[in-house]
Amino acid sequence: MKDFFQNLYNKFQGIKILDRYISKQVIEMFLMGVFVFTTIIFASDTFITLIKQIAKFGIPFKVAFIMILLNLPSVIVMTIPMGVLLATVMTLNRLSLSSEITVMRACGIGLNRIAKPIFIFAVLMSLSSFFINETVVPVMTRQSKDLALWALGQKNIPEGKENFVFKEVNDNGTLKRLFYVGYCKKKTLYNVTVLDNAKEDTIQVLQARQGKTSPDGWVFEKGAAYTIANSGQVLNTTLFDTSTVKFGLDLSKELNKNTAKEMNFTKLAKYLASTDISPTDRRIYTIELFDKIALPITTIVFVLVGVPLAITPPRVRYNRGFLFSILIIFAYYVVRALSISFGEAGSMTPFIAAWLPNIILTIWGVALYYKKVYTIS
């Protein structure tokens, strides 16, 4: 009886060592993969966005760079599944090439048991991805948007200058809005007069003791607003202590692209249930809602596909893990982009548009996994 328990204890210790051995290699490769993929995305798409923001809207480089850093969590959410897939395939492929998996299977350790710590790690990373996407990403996205609005409001304010004007013009060159400022100190305008010609048949005149920009618009204090008809008749007069006016560059189309990312799953679901929006926006936001669940689950689906593909046949003597990882990631994001595009166009239901890549990979992964587990001798 004593020998039985001793053998059982030794076997249990061996399993724990196996878990630590595989987990250590997976974590190291995962960290490298997340770093590499995040760097690639930053070096391509993100810096192109930076240049566009500077060139199109005149946002200062420092502010635009901070905005990009605020978008880093959303990039990490995208690269976590990539990193897990790379870690899975590279680790198991290396163990297979060095015949360690063959030795494990000869000792009675099946592929299910070998892959167990990897699946556990994938589940943990899936939960981490969901947590980041629910808590950190919405806050950072809102801050990035607020910073963009603030920077755009600040760009026409010359510090320390007195008795100056700046203006906005329409696309055809006609005057849209004219600002007269007594002086500017610490990015606050004093003795402000605004002539707003944006509306037809009327002219709005706003006079305030001081004003400054904020993410919500221009904030004026101690002033009055007049609406004057083209005939010169004063239609109404409004006195105010504080007034927030939303005029300036119209960035609604640009900045509202990330509206869904500013809300977590619960808030977005309530928003869709209680807000009257256009059918197109409703489809887009509903796809985003389902995607908040589908994207973290991709981490587990990638492991389901990666484990059987990483087990190298005896005749193959080279590491093909990295190539497999890149091909699977490329195929996944091509299908994802196409399905979301079809969903936004109304050709697919929002649920199918968000989950189609995972459904395809799951079917393929289950078939590969079953074949690999029950046919390898």
Side-chain angles (χ1 to χ4, degrees):
M1 183 64 68
K2 182 179 178 181
D3 292 340
F4 171 78
F5 284 110
Q6 184 64 41
N7 292 334
L8 188 64
Y9 174 78
N10 291 337
K11 186 175 181 180
F12 178 73
Q13 287 295 105
I15 294 298
K16 289 178 63 178
I17 293 172
L18 175 65
D19 289 340
R20 290 198 299 269
Y21 178 67
I22 295 177
S23 298
K24 181 176 180 294
Q25 296 181 66
V26 169
I27 292 172
E28 290 175 353
M29 189 61 64
F30 166 76
L31 294 176
M32 187 196 75
V34 170
F35 175 78
V36 169
F37 289 125
T38 302
T39 302
I40 291 173
I41 293 176
F42 258 57
S44 55
D45 181 68
T46 308
F47 277 99
I48 291 174
T49 302
L50 170 65
I51 294 171
K52 286 182 179 179
Q53 289 171 341
I54 294 174
K56 187 175 181 179
F57 302 125
I59 296 177
F61 178 85
K62 181 171 68 175
V63 175
F65 186 72
I66 294 174
M67 290 167 57
I68 287 177
L69 292 181
L70 290 173
N71 289 320
L72 179 61
S74 61
V75 176
I76 292 177
V77 168
M78 294 287 293
T79 57
I80 284 177
M82 302 181 193
V84 170
L85 174 62
L86 179 67
T88 300
V89 176
M90 292 293 286
T91 299
L92 291 182
N93 205 187
R94 190 191 66 78
L95 294 176
S96 181
L97 287 173
S98 59
S99 300
E100 292 181 63
I101 288 183
T102 303
V103 173
M104 293 178 195
R105 291 178 65 83
C107 295
I109 302 175
L111 183 59
N112 286 328
R113 185 60 191 83
I114 295 171
K116 181 179 178 181
I118 301 177
F119 276 107
I120 292 174
F121 179 74
V123 171
L124 293 175
M125 290 301 100
S126 179
L127 293 174
S128 300
S129 176
F130 180 78
F131 176 79
I132 294 171
N133 207 28
E134 286 292 285
T135 58
V136 180
V137 171
V139 174
M140 293 298 189
T141 303
R142 283 195 299 270
Q143 290 182 347
S144 177
K145 179 178 178 178
D146 290 347
L147 185 59
L149 290 168
W150 175 84
L152 289 164
Q154 293 284 305
K155 72 170 188 174
N156 289 321
I157 303 179
E159 182 69 25
K161 192 172 181 179
E162 297 183 2
N163 299 319
F164 64 93
V165 297
F166 57 91
K167 62 183 179 180
E168 273 188 73
V169 296
N170 294 308
D171 294 336
N172 58 9
T174 58
L175 180 65
K176 182 178 181 181
R177 199 169 287 115
L178 181 70
F179 288 74
Y180 167 79
V181 181
Y183 65 98
C184 177
K185 184 178 181 181
K186 294 182 179 180
K187 294 297 182 180
T188 300
L189 309 179
Y190 293 91
N191 301 331
V192 185
T193 299
V194 182
L195 178 66
D196 189 355
N197 197 36
K199 295 183 179 180
E200 295 182 2
D201 302 325
T202 61
I203 298 173
Q204 290 184 315
V205 179
L206 184 146
Q207 292 180 313
R209 191 170 295 175
Q210 67 181 56
K212 58 183 178 181
T213 60
S214 76
D216 296 325
W218 285 84
V219 179
F220 296 102
E221 298 180 3
K222 306 293 183 182
Y226 312 93
T227 301
I228 304 173
N230 289 340
S231 61
Q233 179 184 0
V234 178
L235 301 179
N236 60 62
T237 302
T238 305
L239 303 177
F240 59 84
D241 289 325
T242 301
S243 177
T244 301
V245 184
K246 293 187 176 181
F247 52 58
L249 290 173
D250 182 11
L251 298 174
S252 57
K253 292 182 180 179
E254 289 292 328
L255 297 178
N256 287 338
K257 289 179 179 179
N258 291 326
T259 298
K261 295 186 181 297
E262 296 175 25
M263 296 177 278
N264 58 28
F265 184 89
T266 304
K267 289 183 178 179
L268 184 55
K270 291 181 179 178
Y271 177 81
L272 288 170
S274 60
T275 307
D276 185 19
I277 56 178
S278 66
T280 300
D281 287 342
R282 182 169 294 277
R283 284 197 302 270
I284 293 173
Y285 293 167
T286 304
I287 292 171
E288 185 70 30
L289 179 70
F290 289 126
D291 192 56
K292 288 180 181 294
I293 303 296
L295 186 58
I297 295 298
T298 303
T299 306
I300 302 173
V301 175
F302 272 172
V303 173
L304 186 63
V305 175
V307 168
L309 287 178
I311 308 301
T312 306
R315 63 181 178 276
V316 177
R317 305 310 304 168
Y318 63 92
N319 193 322
R320 57 186 187 176
F322 184 77
L323 177 61
F324 274 153
S325 301
I326 298 302
L327 291 177
I328 294 171
I329 290 170
F330 177 77
Y332 170 81
Y333 283 104
V334 167
V335 175
R336 173 184 165 86
L338 289 174
S339 64
I340 289 178
S341 297
F342 285 132
E344 291 177 351
S347 302
M348 286 184 182
T349 63
F351 178 84
I352 296 298
W355 280 89
L356 182 62
N358 282 353
I359 293 172
I360 294 174
L361 280 182
T362 299
I363 295 172
W364 184 36
V366 168
L368 288 175
Y369 197 89
Y370 180 85
K371 182 179 179 181
K372 188 68 65 173
V373 168
Y374 292 101
T375 59
I376 292 182
S377 57

